[in-house]
Amino acid sequence: MTNAILAYASYLPSWRVDPAGRGTARRIVASFDEDAITMSVAAARSLRAAESARSLVLATSSPAYLDKTNATTVHAALGLDRRIPASDAIGTARSTLAAVRAAVAGQGALIVAADVRTGRPGSADERTGTDAAAAVLIGAATPEQPAIAEVLATVSLTEEFLDRWRSPAEPSASSWEERFGYEQYAPLVREAATAALDAAGVAQADHVVLTGSNSAITKRASTLVKGVLSTGGSPVGFAGAVDPLLGLAAVLDEAGPAETILLISAADGVDATVLRTTTALSAHRQPEPVAAAAAADGRMVPYPTYLSWRGLLDMEPPRRPEPDRPAGPPSARAAGWKFALTGNRCSACGFLHVPPMRVCRACGVADQSEPVSVRDRGGRIATFTLHRLAHSPSPPVVDVVVDFDGGGRAAFEVADAAPEALGVGGEVTMVFRRLFTAGGVHNYFWKARQVPAAADTSGEEN
């Protein structure tokens, strides 16, 4: 018996940019402190029962590191058991689906995919790309964790031709004209779709999702393979290695029970997967649908600032010393706090320390405590300060002292800060981000993110 999809989730950053400056384009972009690792953590944190994964695989075409496993940082931030293996699948959307196939046929896995898509200024990649992350949990269904979609069949066709490529040293990809790619992919899509449907014993899928980097393919999806209820491509623009999982998530947000989904990814060949939803899907959808996250207004970042975030425009840095490169030994010693935001609670008096301390500040007892993670707790701003001259790609830097729900107080930088909305008592949640990069080392830690205040409707007429 093959494994099934038990849960899914997606993450779209809150920033938007208008590359053309016409006031119409609102491309979804990651913040300066986000990358494939931090977005993977964001997607996986909203996934139901992620801690039950048998293994973790991170798929990306924009890894934060080479010669270092990126998935181990995600593993640490999620607080997973050290006996759960973590590995990378670096490359294209084909790497993502290869990891999915292996998980379905093997012991199951948590597959997270994330990409920061950087196109040359003025290019189609810049206009139509999307920075995003998505995750699926694959494993054996149980009464406590039922399957939301069963995999009926998979078919893969491999073909070597040069449609899109990028050397490891380049920030953006190159491609041939759309027509060439379409002529190569179109017959492969038809062949793979027919073979997958035949293998699944399905005459026509209810939903067809066709994703890929060649826009001519995705635009003509309904002429290549048509679904009974819906046919579409990437829901928010080309998202690289995330594309197939993001497309699948968008359909799972809307699909009914016992409906079939044909998921097709065109990347150096074609991968086709047929799935059937279950009656458990409606009760286990992700918290925020892809369509809702994509339609959110977000916050606009000026185009020159966006270019500087991606290293494509060299702006004058703050006139302050640059931070030193983070060292390995202290990071390893403080890994529980640095990555999983784990403090400790005194076993004698119950006082919660964040960060952890050997000697209790309340009762003075030493080495009598239990670890407690506060990464999933909310909190309130006790006080805050703005640094307008601090070393940052996006000044001002906002620091807050957070009082966590259930105890504990610590200082954090604010992610995606809106200084005008800051206030003592304001609600925050914790997000995993990059503090800075120095000497080729990314300093990952947690930041506080402001929770928008609910609109006051007390004065409205009934």
Side-chain angles (χ1 to χ4, degrees), residues 92-128:
T92 65
R94 174 148 267 203
S95 302
T96 304
L97 291 185
V100 170
R101 282 198 308 274
V104 169
Q107 295 183 339
L110 169 58
I111 312 295
V112 289
D115 253 340
V116 176
R117 303 299 306 174
T118 301
R120 292 185 179 90
S123 67
D125 277 355
E126 182 187 63
R127 294 191 306 272
T128 63

Side-chain angles (χ1 to χ4, degrees), residues 31-362:
S31 180
F32 71 94
D33 57 357
E34 294 185 287
D35 59 19
I37 287 176
T38 66
M39 291 194 295
S40 292
V41 173
R45 286 182 72 203
S46 62
L47 193 75
R48 177 174 57 94
E51 66 279 358
S52 66
R54 301 292 297 274
S55 65
L56 170 67
V57 180
L58 168 58
T60 181
S61 64
S62 56
Y65 287 115
L66 294 175
D67 278 339
K68 184 195 181 310
T69 305
N70 297 264
T72 55
T73 307
V74 179
H75 185 288
L78 296 178
L80 298 180
D81 190 290
R82 65 189 302 180
R83 290 168 293 184
I84 295 175
S87 58
D88 291 343
I90 294 175
T92 65
R94 174 148 267 203
S95 302
T96 304
L97 291 185
V100 170
R101 282 198 308 274
V104 169
Q107 295 183 339
L110 169 58
I111 312 295
V112 289
D115 253 340
V116 176
R117 303 299 306 174
T118 301
R120 292 185 179 90
S123 67
D125 277 355
E126 182 187 63
R127 294 191 306 272
T128 63
T130 292
D131 302 340
V136 291
L137 179 62
I138 298 172
T142 65
E144 297 76 22
Q145 197 168 20
I148 62 173
E150 300 168 336
V151 179
L152 304 182
T154 60
V155 168
S156 293
L157 300 176
T158 300
E159 195 76 32
E160 166 56 25
F161 54 89
L162 193 62
D163 176 54
R164 172 176 288 265
W165 69 97
R166 176 171 66 88
S167 70
E170 292 294 325
S172 54
S174 301
S175 60
W176 292 116
E177 60 175 320
E178 291 181 353
R179 183 179 62 179
F180 169 75
Y182 178 83
E183 291 173 349
Q184 301 298 314
Y185 280 124
L188 294 174
V189 168
R190 294 190 181 99
E191 181 182 349
T194 300
L197 292 172
D198 287 346
V202 175
Q204 185 177 8
D206 295 311
H207 304 276
V208 172
V209 183
L210 175 54
T211 66
S213 62
N214 187 286
S215 60
I217 285 289
T218 55
K219 288 175 183 176
R220 304 178 194 177
S222 60
T223 66
L224 295 171
V225 188
K226 190 172 181 62
V228 175
L229 300 176
S230 70
T231 304
S234 180
V236 290
F238 181 57
V242 193
D243 231 26
L245 295 190
L246 200 59
L248 176 61
V251 172
L252 291 175
D253 288 337
E254 303 290 340
E259 292 181 354
T260 53
I261 303 169
L262 174 59
L263 175 63
I264 306 171
S265 174
D268 300 313
V270 172
D271 297 287
T273 303
V274 182
L275 306 100
R276 178 180 288 121
T277 61
T278 72
T279 55
L281 173 59
S282 60
H284 296 96
R285 300 190 201 271
Q286 65 172 330
E288 184 179 28
V290 174
D297 288 338
R299 296 178 57 196
M300 295 297 295
V301 56
Y303 184 53
T305 301
Y306 163 74
L307 292 178
S308 71
W309 285 0
R310 298 296 178 263
L312 300 175
L313 181 62
D314 189 15
M315 301 180 72
E316 182 182 22
R319 297 178 182 179
R320 290 291 186 274
E322 294 187 10
D324 295 328
R325 183 178 68 181
S331 295
R333 288 193 296 268
W337 167 247
K338 178 178 174 59
F339 296 108
L341 206 60
T342 299
N344 63 349
R345 186 181 297 278
C346 177
S347 301
C349 70
F351 189 87
L352 180 61
H353 300 86
V354 285
M357 299 186 69
R358 287 187 59 196
V359 179
C360 179
R361 290 186 297 187

